[in-house]
Amino acid sequence: MNIVVGITGGIAAYKAVNVIRGLVLAGHDVHVVATEAALRFVGRPTLEAISRNTVNTDLYEAVAEVRHVAIGQAADLIVIAPATANTIAKLATGLADDLLGNTVLASRAPLVIAPAMHTEMWQNPATVANIALLRSRGVHLVGPVSGQLTGTDSGVGRMAEPDDIVAHALAVASGASTRIRDLEGRRVLVTAGGTREPLDPVRFIGNRSSGRQGVALAEAARDRGAAVTLIAAHVEVPLPTEIDVIRVETTEQLLQATSAEAARSDLTIMAAAVADYRPVEVAEGKIKKIHAGERLTLELVQNPDILATISALPRDGRLIVGFAAETASDREALLELGRAKVARKGCDYLVVNEVGWTTGFATEGNAVTVLDASGAIVFEASGSKTSVADDILGVFAAALSGAQ
Ligand code: CTP
């Protein structure tokens, strides 16, 4: 394959050398397009020696060969690692003020980017919006991950490891971004949808959950090679194929099914929207309206907390993940709610759903932050529910294999 590796001006540029090396060793013809800024971080001779090809930087070199479009046209795959916030902004706008911008615009090849920047820049609404836009156009992201950044700080924004970038890029090029089989041999349990608590034979207390995110998680886990069981409460989307499905109605039924299945699952993801209360009594017959204008009082009793229940059991390397859709006045308040919840539930990870933030892009797709048991941010993802599901499964697959 003819692969273009774009390198932009961030300190992680030195790690791009290992990305190039991985692709060359996998038998590919690698052409480096580096920005001027990238060459301040890593030397041209290094890049030429490792890629075994001339490094291209200048828009006005080899003009007779129409190089500004030729490199992009010939590429089967473009990988930009690291992709700085500035480059991401340029890609989102379609700017072509350097050779890399021209190469990307002139290419129909899949584009994989590995963002690398400080946490504040990654979380800036401008970057968040640019990333959402790039995703909606089919650009593939690998990382960023959480970890040590340049200097003494750490957080989300660190470039994904070169081996992961190579694996992801090659999977994308083979038309199989979701065919990364990192859950092969694992059992994954996903709960989805909203539970319903009957009041009488014809009525129930329920919630608005569609089950879409849970179903997307089950499908993504299946595509990553896992044996998947989906416990579906009320779900408004078609149920996936090649997945064992257990249907439940009430929280009590969900508790029974989940307790049994979680004990034999490597990864349990509680994406179900669980009714916190149920009526003290369920009427045998339909509750009748007797007098005009009368009031009806329902007495409710709290349901068991399934996530807390299964998290309290010994789990021997198995992972348990909760979901929390919260509304809060700002991001910090939302994360505080998430941190309190992960501590209360005792699960390994909590996926905090950012829907409801006042960021403009929130309406374009789903955005989540993954907290670990200590409340630290380990991952952030945004985009369609399918891409978010796939991205966060990558985190849990890595955690299961002890890589994180
Ligand atoms: N959950 C559960 N059992 C319950 C309630 C919730 O297992 N009775 C799980 C959900 O499936 C989800 C996580 O706990 O994974 C968080 O759900 P949420 O409704 O946000 O938690 P609550 O404990 O109900 O907190 P809140 O007071 O914010 O509603």
Side-chain angles (χ1 to χ4, degrees):
M1 233 181 340
N2 177 325
I3 303 178
V4 168
V5 174
I7 308 180
T8 70
I11 184 62
Y14 79 92
K15 291 195 201 165
V17 174
N18 281 336
V19 174
I20 299 164
R21 188 171 168 76
L23 293 170
V24 170
L25 290 178
H28 301 289
D29 185 20
V30 178
H31 296 270
V32 174
V33 177
T35 62
E36 292 289 350
L39 293 181
R40 291 173 175 237
F41 291 96
V42 59
R44 185 187 289 267
T46 309
L47 299 174
E48 295 199 336
I50 301 295
S51 71
R52 305 174 188 169
N53 278 313
T54 310
V55 168
N56 304 284
T57 334
D58 191 347
L59 203 46
Y60 299 100
E61 252 170 27
V63 175
E65 296 168 18
V66 206
R67 192 174 287 175
H68 74 289
V69 289
I71 298 171
Q73 285 170 337
D76 299 307
L77 170 70
I78 300 180
V79 183
I80 303 182
T84 58
N86 182 50
T87 296
I88 286 167
K90 293 205 311 191
L91 290 172
T93 343
L95 273 186
D97 60 350
D98 58 12
L99 186 61
L100 183 58
N102 279 270
T103 300
V104 170
L105 281 190
S107 172
R108 294 206 173 96
L111 175 60
V112 177
I113 63 171
M117 64 199 74
H118 281 272
T119 309
E120 292 81 356
M121 297 173 89
W122 174 247
Q123 291 173 345
N124 187 288
T127 308
V128 170
N130 289 334
I131 288 290
L133 188 59
L134 290 175
R135 275 190 192 280
S136 71
R137 291 189 194 140
V139 173
H140 301 267
L141 261 84
V142 47
V145 296
S146 184
Q148 181 78 47
L149 304 172
T150 323
T152 53
D153 49 347
S154 64
V156 181
R158 182 181 160 91
M159 190 172 83
E161 289 308 315
D163 287 351
D164 293 338
I165 297 173
V166 169
H168 197 95
L170 294 179
V172 165
S174 66
S177 61
T178 53
R179 264 186 253 143
I180 299 170
R181 312 253 325 158
D182 52 3
L183 287 173
E184 195 89 62
R186 303 284 191 188
R187 294 197 67 87
V188 174
L189 171 65
V190 181
T191 68
T195 59
R196 290 178 162 182
E197 303 294 345
L199 286 164
D200 68 16
V202 294
R203 303 185 181 93
F204 58 83
I205 298 175
N207 60 64
R208 291 182 192 275
S209 168
S210 68
R212 203 168 271 120
Q213 183 70 77
V215 168
L217 280 158
E219 287 173 332
R222 173 199 62 196
D223 294 344
R224 284 173 175 262
V228 182
T229 300
L230 174 69
I231 304 181
H234 177 71
V235 162
E236 281 166 13
V237 290
L239 290 172
T241 56
E242 294 171 60
I243 284 176
D244 288 338
V245 178
I246 301 172
R247 299 303 311 250
V248 297
E249 179 92 8
T250 64
T251 300
E252 181 58 32
Q253 290 167 358
L254 181 62
L255 172 68
Q256 298 308 330
T258 306
S259 302
E261 290 296 322
R264 61 189 196 107
S265 302
D266 299 297
L267 172 63
T268 295
I269 305 179
M270 282 291 303
V274 184
D276 285 331
Y277 294 89
R278 67 178 185 278
V280 171
E281 278 172 33
V282 180
E284 277 294 316
K286 191 179 163 201
I287 300 171
K288 303 296 284 181
K289 175 173 74 212
I290 313 246
H291 305 293
E294 71 176 340
R295 290 187 179 191
L296 175 68
T297 304
L298 290 174
E299 201 185 341
L300 303 177
V301 62
Q302 230 176 61
N303 271 326
D305 191 316
I306 303 170
L307 182 59
T309 305
I310 60 169
S311 296
L313 300 172
R315 51 179 177 276
D316 213 11
R318 291 190 289 272
L319 287 182
I320 299 180
V321 178
F323 259 75
E326 306 279 4
T327 51
S329 51
D330 59 33
R331 178 178 165 77
E332 214 20 68
L334 188 120
L335 291 178
E336 264 322 301
L337 288 173
R339 288 185 192 113
K341 191 163 280 182
V342 75
R344 201 166 66 237
K345 303 273 184 179
C347 49
D348 299 298
Y349 294 98
L350 188 73
V351 182
V352 184
N353 201 327
E354 300 176 358
V355 171
W357 286 7
T358 50
T359 49
F361 98 106
T363 49
E364 289 173 29
N366 205 13
V368 301
T369 300
V370 183
L371 302 179
D372 69 12
S374 75
I377 298 174
V378 290
F379 193 73
E380 290 177 290
S382 59
S384 68
K385 287 191 171 170
T386 308
S387 73
V388 166
D390 192 46
D391 288 348
I392 60 177
L393 274 171
V395 176
F396 305 140
L400 273 176
S401 66
Q404 274 187 348

